[in-house]
Short mmCIF file of all heavy atoms in Angstrom, two decimals:
data_model
loop_
_atom_site.label_atom_id
_atom_site.label_comp_id
_atom_site.label_asym_id
_atom_site.label_seq_id
_atom_site.Cartn_x
_atom_site.Cartn_y
_atom_site.Cartn_z
N VAL Y 1308 117.32 77.59 127.64
CA VAL Y 1308 116.73 78.96 127.87
C VAL Y 1308 117.21 79.88 126.87
O VAL Y 1308 116.48 80.77 126.28
CB VAL Y 1308 117.09 79.43 129.29
CG1 VAL Y 1308 116.63 80.90 129.45
CG2 VAL Y 1308 116.56 78.57 130.37
N PHE Y 1309 118.56 79.85 126.46
CA PHE Y 1309 119.08 80.76 125.48
C PHE Y 1309 118.41 80.48 124.14
O PHE Y 1309 118.06 81.42 123.33
CB PHE Y 1309 120.57 80.56 125.24
CG PHE Y 1309 121.24 81.36 124.21
CD1 PHE Y 1309 121.39 82.69 124.38
CD2 PHE Y 1309 121.51 80.71 123.01
CE1 PHE Y 1309 121.92 83.48 123.33
CE2 PHE Y 1309 122.05 81.48 122.02
CZ PHE Y 1309 122.23 82.86 122.09
N SER Y 1310 118.16 79.19 123.81
CA SER Y 1310 117.52 78.86 122.54
C SER Y 1310 116.13 79.37 122.48
O SER Y 1310 115.67 79.88 121.42
CB SER Y 1310 117.56 77.38 122.27
OG SER Y 1310 118.88 76.84 122.15
N GLN Y 1311 115.39 79.27 123.56
CA GLN Y 1311 114.04 79.70 123.61
C GLN Y 1311 113.94 81.21 123.46
O GLN Y 1311 113.12 81.77 122.65
CB GLN Y 1311 113.44 79.25 124.90
CG GLN Y 1311 111.91 79.54 124.93
CD GLN Y 1311 111.20 79.08 126.26
OE1 GLN Y 1311 111.89 78.69 127.11
NE2 GLN Y 1311 109.95 79.04 126.23
N ILE Y 1312 114.85 81.95 124.10
CA ILE Y 1312 114.85 83.41 124.03
C ILE Y 1312 115.27 83.80 122.62
O ILE Y 1312 114.65 84.73 122.04
CB ILE Y 1312 115.78 84.06 125.12
CG1 ILE Y 1312 115.19 83.81 126.49
CG2 ILE Y 1312 115.99 85.50 124.83
CD1 ILE Y 1312 116.14 84.18 127.56
N ALA Y 1313 116.33 83.22 122.08
CA ALA Y 1313 116.72 83.57 120.70
C ALA Y 1313 115.67 83.27 119.73
O ALA Y 1313 115.53 84.03 118.72
CB ALA Y 1313 118.03 82.80 120.36
N MET Y 1314 114.96 82.14 119.85
CA MET Y 1314 113.86 81.83 118.93
C MET Y 1314 112.76 82.94 118.90
O MET Y 1314 112.28 83.32 117.85
CB MET Y 1314 113.27 80.51 119.29
CG MET Y 1314 112.13 80.11 118.26
SD MET Y 1314 112.69 79.78 116.63
CE MET Y 1314 113.21 78.09 116.79
N LEU Y 1315 112.46 83.31 120.13
CA LEU Y 1315 111.38 84.36 120.25
C LEU Y 1315 111.84 85.69 119.57
O LEU Y 1315 111.06 86.31 118.87
CB LEU Y 1315 111.03 84.60 121.71
CG LEU Y 1315 110.10 83.52 122.35
CD1 LEU Y 1315 110.02 83.76 123.91
CD2 LEU Y 1315 108.77 83.35 121.69
N VAL Y 1316 113.07 86.07 119.86
CA VAL Y 1316 113.57 87.34 119.32
C VAL Y 1316 113.71 87.26 117.81
O VAL Y 1316 113.24 88.18 117.05
CB VAL Y 1316 114.96 87.65 119.94
CG1 VAL Y 1316 115.61 88.82 119.20
CG2 VAL Y 1316 114.77 88.00 121.46
N PHE Y 1317 114.28 86.20 117.28
CA PHE Y 1317 114.49 86.15 115.81
C PHE Y 1317 113.17 85.91 115.08
O PHE Y 1317 113.00 86.34 113.92
CB PHE Y 1317 115.56 84.99 115.43
CG PHE Y 1317 116.91 85.45 115.87
CD1 PHE Y 1317 117.68 84.74 116.68
CD2 PHE Y 1317 117.50 86.61 115.30
CE1 PHE Y 1317 118.95 85.06 117.12
CE2 PHE Y 1317 118.71 87.04 115.67
CZ PHE Y 1317 119.46 86.29 116.53
N LEU Y 1318 112.26 85.14 115.67
CA LEU Y 1318 110.98 84.89 115.00
C LEU Y 1318 110.14 86.20 115.01
O LEU Y 1318 109.53 86.43 114.02
CB LEU Y 1318 110.18 83.78 115.77
CG LEU Y 1318 109.07 83.17 115.07
CD1 LEU Y 1318 109.46 82.70 113.72
CD2 LEU Y 1318 108.42 82.05 115.87
N THR Y 1319 110.17 86.99 116.04
CA THR Y 1319 109.55 88.31 116.10
C THR Y 1319 110.11 89.22 115.01
O THR Y 1319 109.40 89.86 114.34
CB THR Y 1319 109.66 88.96 117.44
OG1 THR Y 1319 109.07 88.07 118.40
CG2 THR Y 1319 109.01 90.31 117.54
N GLY Y 1320 111.43 89.16 114.95
CA GLY Y 1320 112.12 89.98 113.90
C GLY Y 1320 111.73 89.55 112.46
O GLY Y 1320 111.50 90.38 111.58
N LEU Y 1321 111.66 88.31 112.26
CA LEU Y 1321 111.25 87.68 110.98
C LEU Y 1321 109.75 88.17 110.60
O LEU Y 1321 109.48 88.52 109.48
CB LEU Y 1321 111.27 86.16 110.97
CG LEU Y 1321 110.93 85.51 109.62
CD1 LEU Y 1321 111.80 85.95 108.54
CD2 LEU Y 1321 110.94 84.03 109.85
N ILE Y 1322 108.91 88.09 111.61
CA ILE Y 1322 107.48 88.48 111.40
C ILE Y 1322 107.42 90.05 111.07
O ILE Y 1322 106.68 90.49 110.12
CB ILE Y 1322 106.64 88.11 112.53
CG1 ILE Y 1322 106.45 86.67 112.63
CG2 ILE Y 1322 105.24 88.88 112.52
CD1 ILE Y 1322 105.81 86.16 113.94
N VAL Y 1323 108.15 90.82 111.71
CA VAL Y 1323 108.22 92.26 111.49
C VAL Y 1323 108.75 92.52 110.05
O VAL Y 1323 108.25 93.34 109.27
CB VAL Y 1323 109.03 93.02 112.54
CG1 VAL Y 1323 109.28 94.46 112.17
CG2 VAL Y 1323 108.38 92.98 113.84
N TRP Y 1324 109.86 91.81 109.73
CA TRP Y 1324 110.49 91.95 108.36
C TRP Y 1324 109.36 91.51 107.27
O TRP Y 1324 109.35 92.19 106.28
CB TRP Y 1324 111.70 91.13 108.35
CG TRP Y 1324 112.46 91.22 107.04
CD1 TRP Y 1324 112.90 92.39 106.43
CD2 TRP Y 1324 112.98 90.18 106.23
NE1 TRP Y 1324 113.54 92.14 105.33
CE2 TRP Y 1324 113.56 90.74 105.14
CE3 TRP Y 1324 112.88 88.77 106.37
CZ2 TRP Y 1324 114.24 89.98 104.14
CZ3 TRP Y 1324 113.53 88.02 105.42
CH2 TRP Y 1324 114.20 88.67 104.32
N MET Y 1325 108.70 90.45 107.53
CA MET Y 1325 107.67 90.03 106.49
C MET Y 1325 106.63 91.09 106.37
O MET Y 1325 106.10 91.38 105.33
CB MET Y 1325 107.15 88.65 106.93
CG MET Y 1325 108.06 87.54 106.71
SD MET Y 1325 107.46 85.97 107.45
CE MET Y 1325 105.91 85.80 106.71
N GLY Y 1326 106.25 91.76 107.52
CA GLY Y 1326 105.25 92.85 107.41
C GLY Y 1326 105.83 94.05 106.67
O GLY Y 1326 104.95 94.62 105.83
N PHE Y 1327 107.05 94.34 106.75
CA PHE Y 1327 107.71 95.35 105.90
C PHE Y 1327 107.68 94.95 104.41
O PHE Y 1327 107.38 95.82 103.58
CB PHE Y 1327 109.09 95.69 106.40
CG PHE Y 1327 109.82 96.54 105.46
CD1 PHE Y 1327 109.57 97.99 105.37
CD2 PHE Y 1327 110.81 96.16 104.49
CE1 PHE Y 1327 110.14 98.77 104.56
CE2 PHE Y 1327 111.44 96.95 103.66
CZ PHE Y 1327 111.13 98.28 103.68
N ILE Y 1328 107.96 93.66 104.07
CA ILE Y 1328 107.92 93.29 102.79
C ILE Y 1328 106.52 93.36 102.21
O ILE Y 1328 106.37 93.87 101.02
CB ILE Y 1328 108.48 91.80 102.66
CG1 ILE Y 1328 110.00 91.73 103.02
CG2 ILE Y 1328 108.11 91.13 101.24
CD1 ILE Y 1328 110.48 90.30 103.15
N VAL Y 1329 105.46 93.02 102.93
CA VAL Y 1329 104.11 93.09 102.43
C VAL Y 1329 103.83 94.62 102.17
O VAL Y 1329 103.14 94.99 101.18
CB VAL Y 1329 103.20 92.51 103.42
CG1 VAL Y 1329 101.64 92.80 103.06
CG2 VAL Y 1329 103.37 91.07 103.44
N TRP Y 1330 104.15 95.52 103.05
CA TRP Y 1330 103.93 96.93 102.92
C TRP Y 1330 104.66 97.44 101.73
O TRP Y 1330 104.06 98.18 100.91
CB TRP Y 1330 104.38 97.70 104.26
CG TRP Y 1330 104.23 99.14 104.07
CD1 TRP Y 1330 103.10 99.89 104.24
CD2 TRP Y 1330 105.24 100.12 103.78
NE1 TRP Y 1330 103.44 101.19 104.00
CE2 TRP Y 1330 104.75 101.41 103.76
CE3 TRP Y 1330 106.67 99.98 103.61
CZ2 TRP Y 1330 105.49 102.53 103.55
CZ3 TRP Y 1330 107.44 101.02 103.39
CH2 TRP Y 1330 106.89 102.34 103.36
N ASP Y 1331 105.81 97.09 101.46
CA ASP Y 1331 106.66 97.48 100.36
C ASP Y 1331 106.08 96.96 99.12
O ASP Y 1331 105.96 97.70 98.10
CB ASP Y 1331 108.07 97.06 100.50
CG ASP Y 1331 108.99 97.62 99.47
OD1 ASP Y 1331 109.00 98.93 99.22
OD2 ASP Y 1331 109.75 96.90 98.83
N LEU Y 1332 105.53 95.81 99.06
CA LEU Y 1332 104.89 95.15 97.94
C LEU Y 1332 103.60 95.97 97.56
O LEU Y 1332 103.44 96.29 96.41
CB LEU Y 1332 104.55 93.79 98.25
CG LEU Y 1332 103.73 92.99 97.08
CD1 LEU Y 1332 104.61 92.79 95.88
CD2 LEU Y 1332 103.29 91.63 97.67
N ALA Y 1333 102.86 96.35 98.61
CA ALA Y 1333 101.68 97.11 98.28
C ALA Y 1333 101.95 98.54 97.82
O ALA Y 1333 101.25 99.03 96.85
CB ALA Y 1333 100.82 97.24 99.67
N LYS Y 1334 103.12 99.07 98.38
CA LYS Y 1334 103.55 100.47 97.90
C LYS Y 1334 103.96 100.43 96.43
O LYS Y 1334 103.55 101.19 95.61
CB LYS Y 1334 104.56 100.95 98.84
CG LYS Y 1334 104.96 102.42 98.56
CD LYS Y 1334 105.95 102.92 99.60
CE LYS Y 1334 106.32 104.35 99.18
NZ LYS Y 1334 107.39 104.73 100.10
N LYS Y 1335 104.76 99.52 96.13
CA LYS Y 1335 105.41 99.37 94.74
C LYS Y 1335 104.35 98.99 93.74
O LYS Y 1335 104.45 99.36 92.62
CB LYS Y 1335 106.64 98.35 94.73
CG LYS Y 1335 107.77 98.96 95.41
CD LYS Y 1335 108.97 98.00 95.28
CE LYS Y 1335 110.17 98.56 95.94
NZ LYS Y 1335 111.30 97.68 95.86
N SER Y 1336 103.31 98.23 94.08
CA SER Y 1336 102.32 97.86 93.17
C SER Y 1336 101.15 98.79 93.12
O SER Y 1336 100.22 98.59 92.28
CB SER Y 1336 101.78 96.46 93.56
OG SER Y 1336 101.09 96.53 94.75
N GLN Y 1337 101.24 99.79 93.83
CA GLN Y 1337 100.16 100.88 93.98
C GLN Y 1337 98.87 100.28 94.21
O GLN Y 1337 97.91 100.52 93.50
CB GLN Y 1337 100.26 101.75 92.64
CG GLN Y 1337 101.49 102.45 92.44
CD GLN Y 1337 101.54 103.23 91.11
OE1 GLN Y 1337 100.66 102.95 90.27
NE2 GLN Y 1337 102.57 104.06 90.92
N ALA Y 1338 98.78 99.46 95.26
CA ALA Y 1338 97.66 98.66 95.52
C ALA Y 1338 96.47 99.51 96.05
O ALA Y 1338 95.33 99.15 96.00
CB ALA Y 1338 97.95 97.57 96.59
N GLY Y 1339 96.75 100.68 96.61
CA GLY Y 1339 95.69 101.49 97.22
C GLY Y 1339 95.36 101.00 98.65
O GLY Y 1339 95.93 100.09 99.09
N LYS Y 1340 94.47 101.65 99.28
CA LYS Y 1340 94.08 101.34 100.60
C LYS Y 1340 93.40 99.90 100.74
O LYS Y 1340 93.82 99.15 101.59
CB LYS Y 1340 93.07 102.40 101.16
CG LYS Y 1340 92.78 102.24 102.66
CD LYS Y 1340 91.88 103.25 103.14
CE LYS Y 1340 92.73 104.47 103.47
NZ LYS Y 1340 91.93 105.56 104.19
N PHE Y 1341 92.50 99.63 99.84
CA PHE Y 1341 91.77 98.30 99.90
C PHE Y 1341 92.71 97.24 99.60
O PHE Y 1341 92.79 96.17 100.28
CB PHE Y 1341 90.61 98.33 98.96
CG PHE Y 1341 89.94 97.01 98.91
CD1 PHE Y 1341 89.02 96.59 99.90
CD2 PHE Y 1341 90.10 96.09 97.82
CE1 PHE Y 1341 88.38 95.40 99.88
CE2 PHE Y 1341 89.46 94.87 97.82
CZ PHE Y 1341 88.62 94.54 98.82
N GLY Y 1342 93.61 97.32 98.52
CA GLY Y 1342 94.56 96.35 98.26
C GLY Y 1342 95.54 96.11 99.28
O GLY Y 1342 95.99 95.01 99.59
N THR Y 1343 95.99 97.25 100.01
CA THR Y 1343 96.98 96.99 101.10
C THR Y 1343 96.32 96.25 102.30
O THR Y 1343 96.95 95.33 102.81
CB THR Y 1343 97.37 98.39 101.58
OG1 THR Y 1343 97.97 99.14 100.48
CG2 THR Y 1343 98.44 98.28 102.65
N ILE Y 1344 95.03 96.57 102.53
CA ILE Y 1344 94.39 95.88 103.53
C ILE Y 1344 94.12 94.38 103.25
O ILE Y 1344 94.35 93.44 104.06
CB ILE Y 1344 93.04 96.55 103.85
CG1 ILE Y 1344 93.25 97.93 104.60
CG2 ILE Y 1344 92.15 95.70 104.84
CD1 ILE Y 1344 91.97 98.78 104.67
N ALA Y 1345 93.86 94.18 101.95
CA ALA Y 1345 93.71 92.80 101.47
C ALA Y 1345 95.00 91.98 101.61
O ALA Y 1345 94.97 90.85 102.03
CB ALA Y 1345 93.15 92.76 100.11
N LEU Y 1346 96.10 92.57 101.21
CA LEU Y 1346 97.41 91.99 101.27
C LEU Y 1346 97.78 91.60 102.76
O LEU Y 1346 98.16 90.51 102.96
CB LEU Y 1346 98.53 92.83 100.68
CG LEU Y 1346 98.66 92.88 99.19
CD1 LEU Y 1346 99.59 93.92 98.77
CD2 LEU Y 1346 99.17 91.51 98.75
N PHE Y 1347 97.60 92.57 103.60
CA PHE Y 1347 97.93 92.29 105.04
C PHE Y 1347 96.94 91.19 105.60
O PHE Y 1347 97.34 90.40 106.48
CB PHE Y 1347 97.89 93.54 105.91
CG PHE Y 1347 99.14 94.38 105.84
CD1 PHE Y 1347 99.35 95.40 105.10
CD2 PHE Y 1347 100.30 93.83 106.59
CE1 PHE Y 1347 100.52 96.11 105.03
CE2 PHE Y 1347 101.45 94.56 106.62
CZ PHE Y 1347 101.58 95.71 105.75
N THR Y 1348 95.73 91.29 105.19
CA THR Y 1348 94.77 90.26 105.78
C THR Y 1348 95.11 88.87 105.28
O THR Y 1348 95.20 87.94 106.10
CB THR Y 1348 93.21 90.67 105.34
OG1 THR Y 1348 93.07 91.99 105.89
CG2 THR Y 1348 92.29 89.67 105.94
N VAL Y 1349 95.30 88.71 103.97
CA VAL Y 1349 95.52 87.38 103.50
C VAL Y 1349 96.91 86.91 103.83
O VAL Y 1349 97.04 85.71 104.23
CB VAL Y 1349 95.39 87.43 101.91
CG1 VAL Y 1349 95.80 86.13 101.27
CG2 VAL Y 1349 93.90 87.75 101.55
N LEU Y 1350 97.87 87.68 103.64
CA LEU Y 1350 99.27 87.21 104.00
C LEU Y 1350 99.44 87.15 105.46
O LEU Y 1350 100.34 86.33 105.97
CB LEU Y 1350 100.36 88.07 103.24
CG LEU Y 1350 100.21 87.97 101.70
CD1 LEU Y 1350 101.20 88.93 101.11
CD2 LEU Y 1350 100.44 86.58 101.26
N GLY Y 1351 98.73 88.02 106.26
CA GLY Y 1351 98.95 87.96 107.68
C GLY Y 1351 98.20 86.81 108.32
O GLY Y 1351 98.48 86.41 109.49
N ALA Y 1352 97.21 86.11 107.63
CA ALA Y 1352 96.56 85.00 108.14
C ALA Y 1352 97.50 83.87 108.43
O ALA Y 1352 97.33 83.04 109.41
CB ALA Y 1352 95.47 84.56 107.11
N GLY Y 1353 98.59 83.70 107.60
CA GLY Y 1353 99.53 82.66 107.85
C GLY Y 1353 100.25 82.92 109.12
O GLY Y 1353 100.57 82.03 109.96
N VAL Y 1354 100.61 84.14 109.43
CA VAL Y 1354 101.39 84.45 110.72
C VAL Y 1354 100.49 84.26 111.82
O VAL Y 1354 100.87 83.71 112.90
CB VAL Y 1354 101.83 85.98 110.65
CG1 VAL Y 1354 102.45 86.35 111.93
CG2 VAL Y 1354 102.88 86.17 109.53
#
């Protein structure tokens, strides 16, 4: 039970962290609105 709960918590944290990384990548590369949406769509498809 502990392993299952820990997996859910840490996996959720990892997904949120990856979302922040994509947002930061879009911001630093000055991707604009369309580029940011494209990044989140393509890279979010794996999640």
Side-chain angles (χ1 to χ4, degrees):
V1308 173
F1309 176 77
S1310 294
Q1311 187 175 14
I1312 292 171
M1314 179 67 85
L1315 287 174
V1316 169
F1317 288 122
L1318 197 55
T1319 303
L1321 179 64
I1322 291 171
V1323 170
W1324 184 49
M1325 287 171 55
F1327 172 75
I1328 290 171
V1329 172
W1330 176 77
D1331 190 49
L1332 176 67
K1334 185 176 176 184
K1335 285 184 179 178
S1336 67
Q1337 299 175 346
K1340 187 178 280 189
F1341 178 75
T1343 303
I1344 291 170
L1346 279 170
F1347 273 103
T1348 301
V1349 172
L1350 297 175
V1354 174

